[in-house]
Amino acid sequence: MDDPVDAAILTEVSRDPRATLAQLSESVGLGVSAVQARLRRLEHSGVIVGYRAILDPEAVGKSLSAFIEITPLDPSQPDNAPELLEHLAEIEACHSIAGDASYILFVRVGTPRDLEALIRDIRLAASVSTRTTVVLQTFYENRPISLPGA
Amino acid sequence: MDDPVDAAILTEVSRDPRATLAQLSESVGLGVSAVQARLRRLEHSGVIVGYRAILDPEAVGKSLSAFIEITPLDPSQPDNAPELLEHLAEIEACHSIAGDASYILFVRVGTPRDLEALIRDIRLAASVSTRTTVVLQTFYENRPISLPGA
DNA sequence: CGTGAAATTCTTAGGGA
DNA sequence: TCCCTAAGAATTTCACG
């Protein structure tokens, strides 16, 4: 599905989505027009889901992050916790997992008090118990996906 | 530190870093030139760390993700696990945490066999024990950081 | 997939609140 | 200091070969 050229485009665009077509073109050894067409196809076909700016959490007042495992209090109820929690903007990610808990969230807040409030909101919104693991230090995150054919 | 205009720029650029200055300019109600200067300052001052393309993991052969908690086998040894593991491209994030384990990693691989190999590599490279939690389904991830002043 | 021309965007310099 | 306008350079876009 991905030939080497597409893989090269994806690798480059993962590291710098704001590179010009000319720069991409140079990296992958194809004309600007061809790169543009491939990039458009990769976007439209859903291989490229979107683009993000990576912000420094400290600089934007989100210095505290944590993992929150959650488990429904009443297993007999329909479980749609992910949708019930989606409106909480502090939640950056939500996965269902194999393990003791049902889901794990990754959250970012400014202060311990914000975390306390968020945990309360989560419990109320989704009728779940929580188990929170505070992040002490982040060594790296948001590293680009490494592609096989790169 | 961030006035409302900077916050608006950050919000927009988080959602679509490839928007043109004219589009940003429209969103924040400032001239193109002023927006460009602010964006440059936000980049240069480190508030904006970088940009990424978000790829569909399935489409690029990384359908299996997992959290791996790790703990040094010998607590008396100097602990530099994050650096020792940095060369493993399957590791997307590495945090130190408050809890039973010392660190938690988020990793992406293609198959269970790849995960097995990665866990072996991690144990060998950093002399750690591991506890792996497989992700069954990802409901959302990479949601942009929500800014206070937005 | 490459070429070329038109439309759009980026960049920089200069002036004003 | 911050913002706007304006002109030239660079890039994107798209039809055609």
Side-chain angles (χ1 to χ4, degrees):
Chain A
M1 172 163 183
D2 284 342
D3 67 335
V5 177
D6 278 351
I9 292 177
L10 291 173
T11 298
E12 284 301 313
V13 107
S14 292
R15 291 194 331 184
D16 181 13
R18 312 215 329 150
T20 66
L21 294 175
Q23 288 173 296
L24 288 178
S25 172
E26 174 98 12
S27 303
V28 308
L30 226 60
V32 168
S33 188
V35 171
Q36 185 186 39
R38 281 170 179 262
L39 188 57
R40 228 195 280 277
R41 187 177 55 73
L42 290 168
E43 287 171 352
H44 191 265
S45 69
V47 177
I48 298 176
V49 177
Y51 301 93
R52 292 280 182 279
I54 309 299
L55 308 184
D56 176 10
E58 312 244 342
V60 296
K62 302 284 185 179
S63 3
L64 179 56
S65 60
F67 293 93
I68 304 181
E69 294 166 85
I70 69 179
T71 308
L73 290 175
D74 181 353
S76 69
Q77 291 285 102
D79 173 12
N80 53 342
E83 297 100 86
L84 294 174
L85 298 174
E86 200 165 6
H87 70 282
L88 296 171
E90 294 92 343
I91 303 177
E92 183 169 308
C94 172
H95 312 268
S96 80
I97 53 175
D100 297 330
S102 295
Y103 306 96
I104 189 168
L105 313 175
F106 182 70
V107 306
R108 287 187 203 275
V109 293
T111 66
R113 291 182 69 93
D114 293 339
L115 182 57
E116 181 182 23
L118 177 61
I119 291 170
R120 182 172 2 99
D121 288 346
I122 290 171
R123 286 204 263 244
L124 285 173
S127 301
V128 291
S129 67
T130 65
R131 178 175 176 275
T132 300
T133 300
V134 169
V135 170
L136 301 175
Q137 185 178 355
T138 294
F139 291 91
Y140 35 86
E141 62 184 334
N142 295 123
R143 298 214 298 178
I145 295 180
S146 73
L147 299 180
Chain B
M1 172 163 183
D2 284 341
D3 68 334
V5 177
D6 277 350
I9 292 177
L10 290 174
T11 299
E12 284 301 313
V13 104
S14 292
R15 291 193 333 186
D16 180 14
R18 308 210 340 143
T20 66
L21 292 177
Q23 289 173 295
L24 288 178
S25 172
E26 175 100 12
S27 303
V28 308
L30 224 60
V32 167
S33 191
V35 171
Q36 185 187 38
R38 281 169 178 264
L39 188 58
R40 227 195 280 277
R41 187 176 55 74
L42 290 168
E43 288 171 351
H44 190 265
S45 69
V47 177
I48 298 176
V49 177
Y51 301 94
R52 291 282 126 87
I54 309 298
L55 309 184
D56 176 11
E58 314 245 340
V60 296
K62 301 285 184 178
S63 5
L64 179 56
S65 60
F67 293 94
I68 304 182
E69 293 165 86
I70 69 179
T71 306
L73 290 174
D74 182 352
S76 69
Q77 291 285 102
D79 173 13
N80 53 341
E83 298 100 87
L84 294 173
L85 298 174
E86 198 164 7
H87 70 283
L88 296 170
E90 295 91 344
I91 303 178
E92 184 170 306
C94 172
H95 312 267
S96 80
I97 54 175
D100 297 331
S102 297
Y103 305 96
I104 188 167
L105 313 175
F106 182 71
V107 306
R108 288 187 200 276
V109 294
T111 67
R113 290 182 69 94
D114 294 337
L115 183 57
E116 181 182 22
L118 177 60
I119 291 171
R120 182 171 2 100
D121 289 346
I122 289 171
R123 287 205 261 243
L124 285 172
S127 301
V128 291
S129 68
T130 66
R131 178 174 175 274
T132 300
T133 301
V134 168
V135 169
L136 301 175
Q137 184 178 355
T138 294
F139 291 90
Y140 36 88
E141 63 183 335
N142 294 122
R143 298 215 297 179
I145 294 180
S146 74
L147 299 182

